[in-house]
Amino acid sequence: MNPATVTVQALSPQLLPDFLRFFDGTAFSDNPKWSSCYCQCFYEDHSQIKWAERTAPQNRALACERVQANLMQGYLAYSNGTPVGWCNAAPRKLLHALDSEPVPDGEHVGTILCFLVEPSFRGRGVARQLLEAACAGLRGQGLRVVEANPRKSSTSAAENHFGPLTMYQAAGFTVHREDTDGSVWVRRAL
């Protein structure tokens, strides 16, 4: 496939309607069972809430609140003015699901946690462009390191929602540690 011609913009309160259009529309068109998330899973402290009980309307409302308060970060990819991709990338300190796994340099770390690309745009470099924008944005916030948690053996687009390990490696990330669930934490200096 030819590379997609997309532009990438950092999520802001002004782009909330585009974020919602993507998440209410094509973001989960081939994986509807995850459509209730609105990319809120990692912003929540799972010791305080029962994630499995959260509903799409609750997560949608929380996404709106967080975007308006600048407590949620990420990047939207656009093709001809239409959102076709998303990357959740934020300072680690905003991602409370990771609070139970502290890292010594956490205040200096940005974390990339989810990629969603509209099915018709997959395999055309959209995730790579989102990754580049996320790294630049996290560096611009004064963070020193970026991390991600891809799976080594993903067999579907849904399983690959953390981003392909090969994409990270091609962008200069190296394996920092391995988890027992088959995932790895990769890192790169910013």
Side-chain angles (χ1 to χ4, degrees):
M1 266 190 191
N2 293 332
T5 302
V6 298
T7 58
V8 177
Q9 295 187 43
L11 183 63
S12 66
Q14 295 77 21
L15 296 182
L16 178 59
D18 291 343
F19 173 86
L20 294 174
R21 181 169 40 145
F22 183 59
F23 275 79
D24 291 340
T26 59
F28 293 101
S29 60
D30 64 339
N31 189 19
K33 70 180 182 175
W34 288 3
S35 64
S36 65
C37 182
Y38 286 85
C39 237
Q40 295 307 292
C41 181
F42 285 95
Y43 288 93
E44 294 293 339
D45 180 344
H46 291 239
S47 69
Q48 303 295 316
I49 61 122
K50 293 183 179 174
W51 180 252
E53 296 176 4
R54 293 289 288 279
T55 66
Q58 288 172 319
N59 289 329
R60 189 181 194 278
L62 280 168
C64 292
E65 288 175 26
R66 286 186 171 116
V67 171
Q68 292 293 353
N70 293 310
L71 295 174
M72 179 179 178
Q73 294 184 20
Y75 297 84
L76 286 164
Y78 291 85
S79 176
N80 297 319
T82 300
V84 297
W86 162 254
C87 174
N88 186 354
R92 197 174 209 273
K93 67 183 179 184
L94 292 179
L95 303 166
H96 299 293
L98 300 176
D99 289 351
S100 64
E101 301 175 33
V103 294
D105 57 349
E107 70 275 4
H108 303 291
V109 176
T111 305
I112 297 172
L113 282 169
C114 289
F115 286 89
L116 290 169
V117 177
E118 182 178 311
S120 66
F121 279 81
R122 289 184 190 148
R124 298 173 58 194
V126 175
R128 182 186 46 74
Q129 291 175 66
L130 285 163
L131 177 61
E132 290 172 7
C135 289
L138 294 167
R139 182 175 43 254
Q141 293 178 59
L143 298 170
R144 296 183 201 150
V145 175
V146 60
E147 68 180 4
N149 188 215
R151 303 307 183 247
K152 289 192 293 187
S153 302
S154 298
T155 60
S156 70
E159 288 177 1
N160 231 359
H161 72 283
F162 291 113
L165 177 57
T166 55
M167 175 183 71
Y168 289 113
Q169 290 171 324
F173 287 72
T174 58
V175 173
H176 181 67
R177 73 178 194 274
E178 295 193 32
D179 287 342
T180 58
D181 66 357
S183 67
V184 295
W185 283 91
V186 294
R187 282 185 162 207
R188 185 182 101 184
L190 292 171

